[in-house]
Amino acid sequence: MVASDALAMLQETDQFIELNDGELVTLTADQITIENAAGEQLDRAPITVTIDAADAEKGTFPFYMLKEISEQPAVMRRLVSRYVDDAGTPQFDSAMLSALAAADRLYIVAAGTSYHAGLVGQNLFEHLAGVPTEAYLASEFGYHQPLLSAKPMFIFLTQSGETADIRQVLVNVKQAGYPSLTLTNVITSTLAREADYAVELGAGPEIAVASTKAYTAQVAVEALLAKALGQHKALPLAAAFDVAHQLSLAATGQQALIDQQDKLHELATEMFAQTRNAFFIGRGTDYYVSLEAALKLKEISYVQAEGFAAGELKHGTIALIEQDTPVVAFITDPITAARTRSNAEEVEARGAKVLRIASAALAEPGDQLIVDDLDPMLTPLLTIIPGQLLAYFTSLDRGYDVDRPRNLAKSVTVE
Ligand code: M6R
């Protein structure tokens, strides 16, 4: 059997033989022959893929997406027990940490949802590990490479590990001799194999096209890695940041939101049942989560949704606000909360239907949804849950196939 992803054959086998670029495989009923471009026969041992086929089942959930949203608290807890030692320090390969510590700038290269997780990661690496960090869209970076620093290191962030836009950047990075690390959910994937280092996201198989638990796992692993790197560099801020506690608070807060599914269904109907467009606004990490919440709504409910930096509305986009235009405002950053609130009031005054999602310490009467308090760098771990569930219920109400939206594939293996 031949497939582009191990998940497609898990019901049949856990033994897989990988093929590299330029190789030719001939399958007969009883033989597999692999040759390189020069016609030489290659001997390649199979690898064992350790994904439990049962993890790839839907169970009692109506859609994979709802199952995967519901698994997020367990993923947070699993990542803590997998990566954090008894002293509260995340443990990663020391050669990899030394390579990261030697870099004068980190370049996070990713696409779609993973890019949005990379934007959240910028703050974490800069704040906890003291290293300038920038997130880039792989499809842009590949052809318009910025001026690189003297000692760059590349972090490829990818659920599938097969995204072609990212792969072409990795090929160039390797040719140039720069060090690379892939953070991926599929540790046997091409991008994991080809980078110098690889770290597993450990979210478990993600089947729904809309990425959910991989996003929160990416943010959590970035936090773990940033803390480990900061401690490797003996930075006091990293030592003081209790990442295990934060992730366990995140797990509890996520569960509280998942338990409010009925309310979120009502809000989804109220906000998005009739609309053709919608806006998500916030500042800082709330802006980054706005981008991701908008992408979720777009891809599975086909509502034209945009994520905006709240302060940018007045520079043009506010012209689109009409009576009943849905606007979701994320308010979790103490530094900018008052300003985002005033942006929400500005659109409300022009007729918008505003849904305010605020963290407990910043909540005000009239806010429709409250999320638990968390370090402001990590609030997307909570605020994206209503973003995911609002998209899920909107798609459901409109009668679409939530797991398999039109025109999209799970692994995007073309540029
Ligand atoms: O597998 P990757 O994380 O590299 O995929 C990147 C994007 O194609 C992916 O995140 C896409 O945006 C999601 N399916 C959106 O939910």
Side-chain angles (χ1 to χ4, degrees):
M1 287 174 287
V2 186
S4 59
D5 195 313
L7 282 179
M9 296 201 292
L10 274 185
Q11 296 294 350
E12 315 294 334
T13 183
D14 63 354
Q15 298 297 300
F16 294 84
I17 298 174
E18 298 151 325
L19 294 176
N20 297 324
D21 285 352
E23 293 177 349
L24 178 73
V25 64
T26 310
L27 298 183
T28 64
D30 51 13
Q31 200 173 320
I32 300 167
T33 317
I34 304 174
E35 292 164 64
N36 63 16
E40 294 154 346
Q41 210 161 305
L42 305 171
D43 198 15
R44 182 154 314 138
I47 55 161
T48 302
V49 169
T50 55
I51 302 170
D52 186 347
D55 282 350
E57 297 294 323
K58 219 164 28 182
T60 55
F61 288 89
F63 286 99
Y64 279 108
M65 185 181 178
L66 188 60
K67 171 180 182 258
E68 289 159 9
I69 290 172
S70 307
E71 285 171 347
Q72 291 174 106
V75 172
M76 295 298 105
R77 296 191 181 102
R78 209 161 57 219
L79 286 171
V80 171
S81 57
R82 176 167 181 176
Y83 286 117
V84 183
D85 70 10
D86 291 343
T89 307
Q91 296 299 316
F92 292 100
D93 176 49
S94 61
M96 177 186 82
L97 289 177
S98 300
L100 284 163
D104 63 359
R105 186 172 284 263
L106 301 179
Y107 295 83
I108 299 177
V109 178
T113 289
S114 298
Y115 168 68
H116 298 154
L119 291 170
V120 179
Q122 292 176 148
N123 274 349
L124 290 160
F125 284 106
E126 295 203 337
H127 187 77
L128 298 175
V131 55
T133 306
E134 283 172 80
Y136 284 94
L137 289 167
S139 54
E140 286 297 308
F141 192 97
Y143 299 100
H144 301 99
Q145 186 174 298
L147 185 62
L148 298 179
S149 65
K151 293 165 89 182
M153 177 145 177
F154 286 81
I155 299 179
F156 298 103
L157 200 52
T158 167
Q159 189 284 132
S160 63
E162 302 294 347
T163 301
D165 289 324
I166 307 176
R167 169 108 196 283
Q168 55 98 7
V169 180
L170 173 61
V171 169
N172 292 340
V173 159
K174 279 179 75 166
Q175 261 167 18
Y178 297 128
S180 56
L181 156 67
T182 294
L183 304 185
T184 180
N185 207 26
V186 186
I187 205 64
T188 49
S189 61
T190 308
L191 284 155
R193 280 201 312 273
E194 294 182 351
D196 297 321
Y197 307 98
V199 168
E200 196 172 0
L201 296 173
E206 192 181 67
I207 315 284
V209 165
S211 187
T212 53
K213 61 178 178 171
Y215 170 83
T216 44
Q218 283 168 335
V219 171
V221 170
E222 286 175 314
L224 291 162
L225 196 55
K227 155 120 175 148
L229 180 57
Q231 287 199 271
H232 186 85
K233 294 162 88 175
L235 300 181
L237 265 178
F241 184 75
D242 189 346
V243 69
H245 181 59
Q246 288 294 322
L247 295 183
S248 110
L249 288 178
T252 309
Q254 288 175 342
Q255 192 59 56
L257 292 161
I258 292 164
D259 291 345
Q260 294 179 64
Q261 267 172 58
D262 290 348
K263 177 175 178 176
L264 280 156
H265 195 162
E266 278 166 26
L267 286 169
T269 309
E270 197 182 312
M271 292 290 289
F272 306 124
Q274 306 295 338
T275 194
R276 287 173 59 85
N277 65 357
F279 296 91
F280 292 80
I281 60 169
R283 292 168 184 245
T285 49
D286 289 334
Y287 165 46
Y288 301 148
V289 92
S290 298
L291 294 173
E292 175 55 10
L295 177 59
K296 287 288 87 81
L297 190 64
K298 272 186 269 214
E299 69 175 327
I300 60 168
S301 75
Y302 319 141
V303 170
Q304 172 148 23
E306 297 302 332
F308 263 88
E312 278 295 294
L313 280 175
K314 61 184 175 294
H315 296 293
T317 311
I318 201 164
L320 291 172
I321 302 294
E322 297 176 333
Q323 192 60 39
D324 288 338
T325 303
V327 177
V328 178
F330 293 105
I331 307 166
T332 69
D333 177 6
I335 299 171
T336 58
R339 297 212 183 284
T340 304
R341 280 194 185 282
S342 101
N343 297 136
E345 279 160 21
E346 281 155 17
V347 291
E348 209 159 32
R350 286 157 180 85
K353 201 162 37 174
V354 178
L355 164 57
R356 291 178 181 78
I357 300 177
S359 53
L362 302 171
E364 291 189 3
D367 291 346
Q368 294 94 323
L369 195 72
I370 312 298
V371 303
D372 286 358
D373 290 320
L374 203 60
D375 187 290
M377 290 187 294
L378 288 177
T379 53
L381 292 175
L382 296 178
T383 43
I384 196 52
I385 306 287
Q388 295 166 348
L389 284 167
L390 288 169
Y392 173 80
F393 287 119
T394 305
S395 176
L396 200 67
D397 283 353
R398 291 180 180 222
Y400 298 136
D401 182 341
V402 175
D403 287 338
R404 284 189 289 181
R406 68 187 183 203
N407 308 341
L408 291 167
K410 183 65 182 163
S411 295
V412 187
T413 51
V414 291
E415 281 188 42

